[in-house]
Amino acid sequence: MDANPLRIVSYNVRYFGHALRGLASTLGPKRRVAAALAALEPLPDILCLQEVETQSFRSNVAHRRAHPGETQLEAFMGRMEETFALLKRPMPYEAFYFRAHRYAVGDFSLYTTGLAILVNTQRLTVDTHNVDAPHPITHHHVRLLRERKQSRICAHMRLVRKDDGRALHVFNTHLSLPTPFARAFWNTRDKMGNGINQLHEARTLADMVRKHCPEEPFVICGDFNSPPASPVFQFFCDEARFTSAQVAVGQIDPSASRGFSTAGFMHLRMHLDHIFSSPGIQWLDTEGTLAFGDTRSLFHGLSDHMPLIARFHLPPSLPLTGPRPVEASAGRT
């Protein structure tokens, strides 16, 4: 049995702009998110963040950059450094950013989208990543809107645990909202997770995961815009045969779409975020994962989503000695 479980967090941080209803990023949410993450015990080994900007009017209008080229992730990592310094603890995380989309008028960026993965380098080594070319998964239902449709990507890393050389693939993604340009959208009461475009993206994602790690264990984090019991969730669990971390530990009923909310909008409560894995991974607990609106959470009020936090054992395996996946070798971004 694996004696050293790993801990992972998946969190849609809403561009660190929740204080201004997502209209602009501010310094306060970055500090509060950093403090909440640093307060987790044990510290997570992997942080998968969704909705992280690069540089844009939205990310900078209410936040003065430390230098002209500072990105939102760099600004957040600065707050992480501050937080760990105040705690008199070494800051163990190395950050990687995966660009997705840029909305611009000429050279002026209105806002940008992307994903981030932070790795605890005290316990893990980054072997490969796809920072320079994240996997595209967007399904363009209307070709005329191809350039305007927000691009969806999947970030991918192969990590190696330092104490025993075991490998783990980590995928981070954010699926589209259901398209309104399909008849099925108007024929179903529950829209989320029922979009034909969402199912296309789910299949593209599953195919890509199988291609890159046919034998080694993997975890997939993200905002899937799909609740349990939806066609997208059922596809991942039944057809792709991925394991839901929350189902595995008994935190949710996979047949109940409204049993546990991970996101909220006005009075709506939705379960949109998930962590899936290969069958060989043993999920231990989701301690620290609380439903949206639960004031006991360290993350209450910091985003329109709540983080999923889970611990797991890697399956017994030997370190990989053959060819590595054809992606970029590790390096700080």
Side-chain angles (χ1 to χ4, degrees):
M1 175 62 67
D2 177 12
N4 299 303
L6 294 171
R7 200 178 197 196
I8 192 165
V9 172
S10 179
Y11 190 20
N12 184 326
V13 295
R14 200 191 187 190
Y15 311 109
F16 304 102
H18 190 61
L20 297 180
R21 299 183 182 275
L23 296 175
S25 172
T26 55
L27 186 63
K30 296 185 184 73
R31 283 201 174 115
R32 290 192 286 275
V33 170
L37 290 170
L40 293 175
E41 187 61 41
L43 279 177
D45 300 291
I46 306 156
L47 304 172
C48 291
L49 307 181
Q50 300 90 41
E51 294 198 16
V52 180
E53 286 239 29
T54 312
Q55 288 183 0
S56 71
F57 176 78
R58 180 175 64 178
S59 67
N60 299 326
V61 66
H63 170 72
R64 181 175 296 177
R65 289 177 289 180
H67 58 83
E70 184 184 52
T71 65
Q72 187 172 79
L73 184 58
E74 286 178 314
F76 173 65
M77 293 306 289
R79 306 295 77 74
M80 290 284 281
E81 294 277 4
E82 289 176 0
T83 299
F84 279 89
L86 289 171
L87 295 172
K88 297 182 169 32
R89 299 170 64 184
M91 209 286 283
Y93 294 107
E94 184 171 6
F96 296 79
Y97 184 70
F98 305 79
R99 299 170 188 263
H101 199 90
R102 175 174 175 262
Y103 286 90
V105 177
D107 294 331
F108 181 75
S109 292
L110 293 172
Y111 69 93
T112 54
T113 64
L115 307 167
I117 300 179
L118 279 59
V119 179
N120 185 334
T121 56
Q122 293 179 348
R123 298 199 65 197
L124 297 164
T125 297
V126 179
D127 181 25
T128 58
H129 61 71
N130 67 347
V131 164
D132 293 331
H135 298 295
I137 62 170
T138 317
H139 176 71
H140 298 280
H141 189 72
V142 180
R143 292 192 174 275
L144 290 176
L145 300 179
R146 190 181 187 93
E147 298 304 318
R148 300 192 181 197
K149 172 79 172 68
Q150 186 176 132
S151 298
R152 302 294 177 169
I153 61 170
C154 184
H156 175 212
M157 281 187 166
R158 181 181 184 270
L159 305 174
V160 177
R161 197 163 61 180
K162 289 185 174 181
D163 60 359
D164 58 10
R166 294 190 196 182
L168 172 70
H169 292 260
V170 176
F171 299 89
N172 185 18
T173 194
H174 188 178
L175 264 59
S176 294
L177 292 166
T179 177
F181 298 103
R183 182 179 301 174
F185 179 85
W186 304 104
N187 292 338
T188 56
R189 177 174 175 269
D190 295 322
K191 316 289 187 189
M192 306 298 279
N194 280 272
I196 187 172
N197 60 318
Q198 294 181 298
L199 277 167
H200 276 289
E201 290 178 356
R203 292 183 185 279
T204 299
L205 175 63
D207 289 343
M208 184 267 294
V209 169
R210 292 190 192 98
K211 175 182 176 183
H212 283 83
C213 43
E215 297 180 354
E216 293 182 315
F218 61 81
V219 292
I220 310 169
C221 297
D223 176 353
F224 292 85
N225 279 314
S226 305
S230 68
V232 166
F233 185 87
Q234 291 174 336
F235 164 78
F236 283 125
C237 294
D238 299 337
E239 189 172 333
R241 299 190 180 278
F242 297 161
T243 299
S244 161
Q246 288 182 286
V247 171
V249 301
Q251 187 173 42
I252 66 168
D253 178 352
S255 65
S257 62
R258 293 178 174 84
F260 187 101
S261 57
T262 66
F265 175 73
M266 299 182 70
H267 296 297
L268 292 176
R269 297 292 181 266
M270 300 164 285
H271 190 157
L272 306 179
D273 307 87
H274 304 283
I275 300 177
F276 297 104
S277 73
S278 51
I281 281 179
Q282 179 189 358
W283 292 100
L284 302 176
D285 62 61
T286 51
E287 183 180 349
T289 299
L290 298 174
F292 184 86
D294 193 326
T295 57
R296 296 173 299 168
S297 174
L298 295 168
F299 301 87
H300 176 68
L302 300 186
S303 172
D304 58 351
H305 288 249
M306 293 288 271
L308 300 183
I309 307 166
R311 289 191 314 143
F312 61 95
H313 282 312
L314 290 176
S317 64
L318 295 174
L320 182 69
T321 57
R324 296 176 177 175
V326 183
E327 290 184 341
S329 59
R332 190 174 181 88
T333 61

